[in-house]
Amino acid sequence: MFNNLSEKLDKAFHVLKGHGQITEINVAETLKEVRRALLDADVNFKIAKEFTNKVKEKALGQNVLTSLQPGQLMVKLVKDELTELMGGDAEGINLSGTPSIILMSGLQGSGKTTFSGKLANYLKTKKTKKPLLVACDVYRPAAIDQLHVVGDQIGVDVFSDRGNTDPVAIAEAGIAYAKANGHNVVIIDTAGRLAVDEEMMNEIANVHKAIKPQETLFVVDSMTGQDAVNTAKAFNDVLNFDGVILTKLDGDTRGGAAISIKSVVTKPIKFIGTGEKMDAIDVFHPSRMAERILG
Ligand code: GDP
């Protein structure tokens, strides 16, 4: 994960090796490299610039007060700033409501169906909940089949209504089914398209309005970098979602999405997907992620 970024940051800190103290010149040189590393990782230009400005201010301000070597100090400051940028403390998922309703949004292929299964499995095993999965993709019969396969795999019930072309009606029927059958969490998987379009946005906005979920999650493929950030913005404008799920972090992802998404949409990343299997899900911890990035 983020190998390229980690390597480049490591090289940036080497600039300070052998220097006894922080100076404006060696800080500027180091941060130029840090900024380059962030841009190469597909972090947006403005965010990368603000990031290095903040670190610079702190580095020059703290110089006298610290006993750390310049290199160690810079690693610490970059780590703290990355943690801050990715979201501070880890946030949970809202499970109030009887049942708690969780709506999944995102583009086709982002990993919504897979993550719906992972989340159901996580809630079932870790939180002893009784989830229900609801298939609201009315365009792709294969998507409904896929959710049933996932449900069978993890032993979670799946509600679908194959002939029905109204996602709002399916979602509402799913919630009624959950109430009648003692399910205390309903996870609604929706249709995504390959790119943001008005029809998809209207459809998910209608489902959102009708069912008033406790938690609306936006699922995004971390491999898509800046596109991930732009898509997040488009969905957030319409849904004002509660959290982000970053998938495919097991791949050769550059890191831009993980680093910039929080500051662009001001919503926390809640979980990450780290593989295709149902147990490849982790709660997102910004400080752990920053540590991983810095190696
Ligand atoms: P949807 O169209 O948004 O429902 O996306 P899917 O859940 O069908 O996922 C699309 C593809 O990405 C599938 O082949 C999944 O197995 C794969 N996938 C989903 N999440 C992850 C992940 O965290 N890591 C990896 N490597 N693959 C994933």
Side-chain angles (χ1 to χ4, degrees), residues 1-14 33-43 82 223 249-256 259 292-295:
M1 195 191 287
F2 311 141
N3 286 343
N4 205 14
L5 175 61
S6 302
E7 250 170 54
K8 288 197 169 135
L9 286 175
D10 193 43
K11 273 197 193 130
F13 300 130
H14 269 85
E33 295 300 318
V34 168
R35 183 144 94 203
R36 200 171 284 166
L38 292 174
L39 293 175
D40 281 352
D42 213 7
V43 173
L82 273 177
M223 307 281 282
L249 274 171
D250 50 310
D252 185 21
T253 161
R254 287 191 288 169
I259 294 169
R292 252 161 124 162
I293 290 173
L294 290 176

Side-chain angles (χ1 to χ4, degrees), residues 42-254:
D42 213 7
V43 173
N44 134 326
F45 181 78
K46 193 166 151 257
I47 294 174
K49 195 166 170 213
E50 280 169 11
F51 183 92
T52 45
N53 282 346
K54 277 192 196 156
V55 175
K56 181 178 163 193
E57 228 171 77
K58 286 187 184 157
L60 297 176
Q62 284 193 16
N63 187 21
V64 204
L65 304 172
T66 180
S67 57
L68 293 175
Q69 291 292 311
Q72 292 170 318
L73 172 66
M74 198 57 98
V75 171
K76 182 187 179 304
L77 293 177
V78 168
K79 196 179 280 181
D80 290 351
E81 203 53 46
L82 273 177
T83 305
E84 183 70 31
L85 189 60
M86 290 191 290
D89 287 336
E91 307 223 6
I93 197 161
N94 183 355
L95 292 173
S96 65
T98 40
S100 339
I101 300 167
I102 303 172
L103 180 66
M104 296 293 171
S105 66
L107 295 181
Q108 186 180 319
S110 60
K112 273 187 313 301
T113 304
T114 307
F115 185 78
S116 298
K118 288 178 182 179
L119 183 61
N121 190 40
Y122 171 88
L123 293 173
K124 182 181 151 207
T125 49
K126 300 252 168 79
K127 311 265 177 201
T128 56
K129 295 281 180 187
K130 191 183 172 200
L132 174 74
L133 288 161
V134 177
C136 270
D137 188 336
V138 294
Y139 307 101
R140 295 188 313 131
I144 301 175
D145 296 340
Q146 190 191 345
L147 197 65
H148 277 282
V149 169
V150 161
D152 285 347
Q153 219 176 316
I154 57 176
V156 166
D157 284 353
V158 176
F159 179 89
S160 62
D161 183 359
R162 282 178 203 272
N164 199 332
T165 55
D166 177 1
V168 171
I170 302 171
E172 285 173 339
I175 294 165
Y177 178 93
K179 285 180 181 161
N181 291 279
H183 292 277
N184 48 17
V185 180
V186 183
I187 299 172
I188 299 178
D189 187 19
T190 58
R193 277 181 243 274
L194 293 172
V196 170
D197 71 29
E198 208 180 319
E199 211 181 333
M200 170 178 64
M201 288 303 183
N202 285 340
E203 182 178 302
I204 185 113
N206 286 339
V207 174
H208 185 256
K209 210 163 106 190
I211 63 172
K212 298 182 182 56
Q214 275 75 40
E215 189 82 21
T216 302
L217 298 173
F218 168 70
V219 181
V220 69
D221 178 344
S222 61
M223 307 281 282
T224 57
Q226 274 306 296
D227 277 350
V229 178
N230 296 335
T231 311
K233 203 168 170 315
F235 272 87
N236 195 42
D237 287 347
V238 171
L239 293 177
N240 189 20
F241 55 66
D242 301 293
V244 177
I245 310 301
L246 264 187
T247 62
K248 309 188 195 179
L249 274 171
D250 50 310
D252 185 21
T253 161
R254 287 191 288 169

